[in-house]
Amino acid sequence: MKSRWSIVARLTTLYTASAFAMLMLAAIFLHWTLAVNFRREDGQFLADKVQLLRTILGKTSADADDLKEEVEWETAALHFAKYYARVLDPQNHTLIETPGMSNDLPAAIFSVPSDTAYLENQVASRTLAHGQKFLLLSAMAKVANGNARQEIQVALDISPEEAFLQRYRRNLAWAVLFGVLFSAVTGAFVARRGMRPLVDLTQVTDRISASQLHERIASDGWPKELASLATGFDRMLDRLEDSFRRLSQFSGDLAHELRTPINNLRGEAGVALSQSRTPEEYRRTLESSLEEYARLTRLIDNLLFLARADSPAVDIARVRFDARKAVDAICEYYDALAEDRGVKISCEGQGDLHADPVLFRQVVSNLLSNALNHTPRGGQVLVSVCEHENHGLEVRVNDTGCGISSEHLPRIFDRLYRVDPARSQHPDGAGLGLSIVKSIMTLHDGSVEVQSELGKGSRFILKFPSA
Ligand code: ADP
C-alpha cells in the first residue's frame, strides 16, 4: 500500500533526520579533536620527560639526587595525571624507579627501547587488567663518562583523561538527543505553519460548488510557490464560472429555440382542427408543418454534431488536398444564391491543406452563407487562401456587409447566440453556425478569429496548423 504520510510529517521527519545527522557529525568531530589533542599532549609530555632524563644521565656533573628528584619527587607533585619513570642498567636491572611502579608496570611490558630523537611516535598505550590505562615510552640514553647505555622507561596514567572523555561523550549524547527533540518540535511547528495556506485552500475548495463558483482564494501574503497555485486555481474558477454561465444560457436558449417551432406546429394543428377543412387546406397545413419539422431536424442535427465534436474520442479523417480548389467548388455552389442576392463572390490565393475535406467544406459554407446573409445588394464577398511558412494555412472570408458591433463580437461563437434574436435578418439561423465552425477548427487543432466593424463588413479568419 502506498504510504499516506502528510507533508507536515514528511518535512518534520526530514528536518529531524538532517538535524540528527548534523549534530552527530559535530559531536563526533568535537570528541575526536579533544581525544587527539589529549593524546598529542600526553605523547609530548612523555617525550619531554625522556629527553630530560637523557640530559640528566648524560651530564658528567650529575649526581643521583638529580635523578631522584626527577624520578621520585616530581611524580609525587602531579595530581591530575600520574607519571612514572624507571632507569635500567645494560643488564636490565632497575637502577631507580618511581615508587610503586613495579606493581602495575613491570619492565617487561615496555616495548624495545628506541634511539630516535622523535619519540612522540613511539608512544604505546596499554590497558591493565583492572581497567587502568597507561601510555608507555621507552628509550636508550648515553651515560656520561663511558660507553654504557641505560634504558629509560616512562609511563603516564591516562585513566582520568579517559574518564573525562567518557563524561564528555555522555554530555554530547544528551546534547544530540535534546537537539533532535528540539528540532523535531520546531520542525513540526514550522512545517505546520508553512502548510497553513494549503489548509485554507482546502477549506475554500470544500466550499465551492456549482452555485458558489464566484468564490476566490485570497492569496495575499501567501508564499510565492503557493500563491501561483492559488492564482492558477482562481483562473480555473474563472473559466469554470464562464463555462457554467454559457451552459445555463445555452439551456435557456435551447428551450426557447424548441418552444417556438413546437408552438407554431400546435397552433397550426389547433387552427386546422377547429372546424372542418377542405383537403386542399389540410394539405397546406401539412406542408407548412413540414417546413417546421425540417427546421427542427436541422437544429437537432446541428446540436448532435456539436455534442459529438465535444467528445474527446472523436476522430477526423484528414487528407492532404488543394484548399483553393475546394474553396472554388464551394463558391461555385453559392454562386446562384449570391447572384440572386446581388452580391459578388470571388476567391484568391492558393495553398495545400491537411484536413477533413467534408468538415472543411462545412466550415467555409457556414461562413460563406453568413456572409451572404449579412451583405446587402451590391456588396462583395472575398474568400482568400494563404499559406504561412510557420503557422500553416489561413482561409479568410471577407464581406462588405453590416458588420458586428463590439458588444456582440465576444459571444457570436456561443451556441444558439444570435445578434438579432428576433431573426428579422435571417429567419432560418438558430445561432449554431459559428459554434460549429469553432468546434470543427478545434477538432483540427486550429482556431477561428473575427474582425468586424459595424456598417463596413466582417472578416472571419480560419487558422489551420501546419501538418
Ligand atoms: P446563425 O446560424 O443564426 O447565422 P451563427 O452562429 O452563424 O448563427 O452566427 C451568430 C450571429 O453572428 C448571427 O446572429 C449573426 O448576427 C452574426 N454574424 C455571423 N456572421 C456574420 C457576418 N458575416 N456579418 C454580420 N453578422 C454576422
Side-chain angles (χ1 to χ4, degrees), residues 302 366-375 397-399 401-405 408 411-421 423 425-437 450 452 454 457-460:
N302 283 340
N366 282 10
L367 293 182
L368 212 53
S369 108
N370 273 355
L372 287 176
N373 284 334
H374 296 93
T375 304
V397 180
N398 306 276
D399 65 56
C402 61
I404 306 161
S405 71
H408 294 294
R411 301 206 49 202
I412 54 167
F413 293 101
D414 285 1
R415 290 171 190 191
L416 297 173
Y417 186 81
R418 277 190 312 256
V419 171
D420 172 21
R423 307 184 195 189
Q425 286 178 328
H426 175 37
D428 267 355
L432 286 176
L434 289 179
S435 329
I436 290 175
V437 169
V450 58
S452 188
L454 208 56
S458 313
R459 167 183 293 164
F460 285 84

Side-chain angles (χ1 to χ4, degrees), residues 337-345 370-381 399-403 425 455-458:
L337 179 67
E339 212 169 296
D340 198 36
R341 301 261 170 100
V343 176
K344 187 172 174 283
I345 299 186
N370 273 355
L372 287 176
N373 284 334
H374 296 93
T375 304
R377 204 160 268 281
Q380 282 195 8
V381 175
D399 65 56
T400 56
C402 61
Q425 286 178 328
K456 290 204 170 159
S458 313

Side-chain angles (χ1 to χ4, degrees), residues 208-227:
I208 290 173
S209 63
S211 58
Q212 242 120 25
L213 279 175
H214 56 276
E215 281 260 9
R216 292 295 178 272
I217 302 162
S219 60
D220 304 339
W222 279 27
K224 215 164 75 191
E225 299 83 351
L226 291 177

Side-chain angles (χ1 to χ4, degrees), residues 41-352:
E41 279 187 1
D42 292 345
Q44 186 65 49
F45 174 79
L46 288 181
D48 287 351
K49 286 296 172 196
V50 168
Q51 290 302 3
L52 192 67
L53 290 171
R54 273 178 173 169
T55 316
I56 293 171
L57 291 172
K59 264 194 210 161
T60 41
S61 59
D63 54 22
D65 276 351
D66 284 345
L67 202 58
K68 243 190 180 134
E69 187 182 331
E70 184 53 38
V71 173
E72 293 178 355
W73 305 340
E74 157 89 16
T75 55
L78 285 172
H79 297 295
F80 179 62
K82 204 143 171 38
Y83 151 68
Y84 298 88
R86 170 186 292 138
V87 180
L88 300 170
D89 68 9
Q91 284 74 42
N92 274 347
H93 294 136
T94 302
L95 291 178
I96 185 166
E97 69 173 13
T98 307
M101 185 175 179
S102 51
N103 298 342
D104 288 335
L105 304 164
I109 68 165
F110 285 81
S111 51
V112 181
S114 156
D115 254 341
T116 175
Y118 302 104
L119 293 162
E120 287 90 335
N121 297 340
Q122 310 294 322
V123 177
S125 77
R126 181 154 194 142
T127 310
L128 300 186
H130 48 82
Q132 218 171 352
K133 199 167 176 185
F134 285 91
L135 290 184
L136 309 177
L137 179 62
S138 53
M140 295 309 291
K142 276 196 195 120
V143 184
N145 305 328
N147 288 332
R149 285 154 62 85
Q150 293 177 342
E151 184 183 341
I152 301 169
Q153 295 185 333
V154 288
L156 184 68
D157 179 5
I158 55 166
S159 304
E161 278 176 17
E162 288 296 309
F164 177 83
L165 278 178
Q166 200 175 356
R167 275 200 307 281
Y168 189 62
R169 273 197 295 277
R170 211 173 32 235
N171 289 346
L172 283 177
W174 280 114
V176 170
L177 184 73
F178 281 120
V180 166
L181 284 178
F182 180 75
S183 67
V185 173
T186 50
F189 175 73
V190 169
R192 213 174 279 273
R193 219 184 137 79
M195 286 294 129
R196 194 174 301 156
L198 275 188
V199 178
D200 295 350
L201 181 71
T202 319
Q203 279 168 358
V204 174
T205 48
D206 280 350
R207 268 205 309 273
I208 290 173
S209 63
S211 58
Q212 242 120 25
L213 279 175
H214 56 276
E215 281 260 9
R216 292 295 178 272
I217 302 162
S219 60
D220 304 339
W222 279 27
K224 215 164 75 191
E225 299 83 351
L226 291 177
S228 59
L229 173 73
T231 354
F233 193 79
D234 278 351
R235 276 203 300 269
M236 186 185 80
L237 283 178
D238 285 344
R239 290 193 296 273
L240 273 180
E241 193 179 12
D242 189 52
S243 301
F244 261 78
R245 191 183 48 72
R246 282 168 196 260
L247 201 63
S248 65
Q249 169 97 35
F250 173 67
S251 319
D253 288 350
L254 184 60
H256 186 77
E257 205 61 38
L258 291 172
R259 196 178 57 187
T260 314
I262 287 170
N263 276 349
N264 288 349
L265 287 168
R266 271 188 62 186
E268 275 174 28
V271 171
L273 290 175
S274 61
Q275 60 187 79
S276 64
R277 307 272 174 192
T278 62
E280 183 56 26
E281 281 170 327
Y282 283 126
R283 224 176 85 85
R284 257 185 277 128
T285 306
L286 284 177
E287 267 171 7
S288 125
S289 304
L290 267 183
E291 269 173 40
E292 286 295 346
Y293 287 132
R295 242 171 56 77
L296 270 174
T297 311
R298 265 201 312 278
L299 176 70
I300 290 166
D301 283 349
N302 283 340
L303 286 172
L304 269 178
F305 175 88
L306 284 169
R308 267 192 232 115
D310 278 348
S311 141
V314 73
D315 216 9
I316 55 172
R318 286 181 211 244
V319 289
R320 183 167 286 283
F321 60 90
D322 185 336
R324 172 61 193 271
K325 259 193 192 160
V327 166
D328 277 344
I330 302 164
C331 289
E332 217 178 291
Y333 178 80
Y334 279 92
D335 259 353
L337 179 67
E339 212 169 296
D340 198 36
R341 301 261 170 100
V343 176
K344 187 172 174 283
I345 299 186
S346 49
C347 309
E348 65 171 24
Q350 57 191 5
D352 274 351

